[in-house]
Amino acid sequence: MNVTPPVGPAEPSRRHPRLATLRSIAATWRRRTRFRWELEQGLKDDPHLIADIGLTRRQAEAEIAKPFWQVSNPL
């Protein structure tokens, strides 16, 4: 008699590696969008904070202008 182990749901990343990759990409895009939005707010509210993190106004504006899918350059 063959006894097979019960089959339960597999890990989503194991079952659908492409779905896990897609979720990871979407999460990265959300982080970039949020970072650039917060940078923009900081530039509007208190431009001196931008200098405190080591950015010039021009660097901050260039980062804010990038689309969410574009990677930031190391500063």
Side-chain angles (χ1 to χ4, degrees):
M1 174 161 40
N2 281 340
V3 177
T4 57
V7 178
E11 287 182 37
S13 60
R14 200 180 243 178
R15 223 164 92 190
H16 301 287
R18 286 177 269 188
L19 181 58
T21 301
L22 184 59
R23 286 182 178 154
S24 176
I25 291 169
T28 299
W29 287 354
R30 281 191 302 271
R31 281 191 302 273
R32 287 181 192 158
T33 300
R34 180 71 181 184
F35 169 75
R36 291 172 183 162
W37 180 84
E38 289 174 350
L39 188 60
E40 183 177 23
Q41 295 308 308
L43 191 59
K44 289 178 185 176
D45 297 342
D46 194 356
H48 300 291
L49 291 178
I50 300 302
D52 287 347
I53 63 171
L55 294 177
T56 65
R57 182 176 186 86
R58 181 173 284 173
Q59 288 172 318
E61 289 171 346
E63 184 65 29
I64 292 165
K66 290 180 184 177
F68 63 88
W69 60 84
Q70 191 173 9
V71 176
S72 299
N73 293 330
L75 301 173

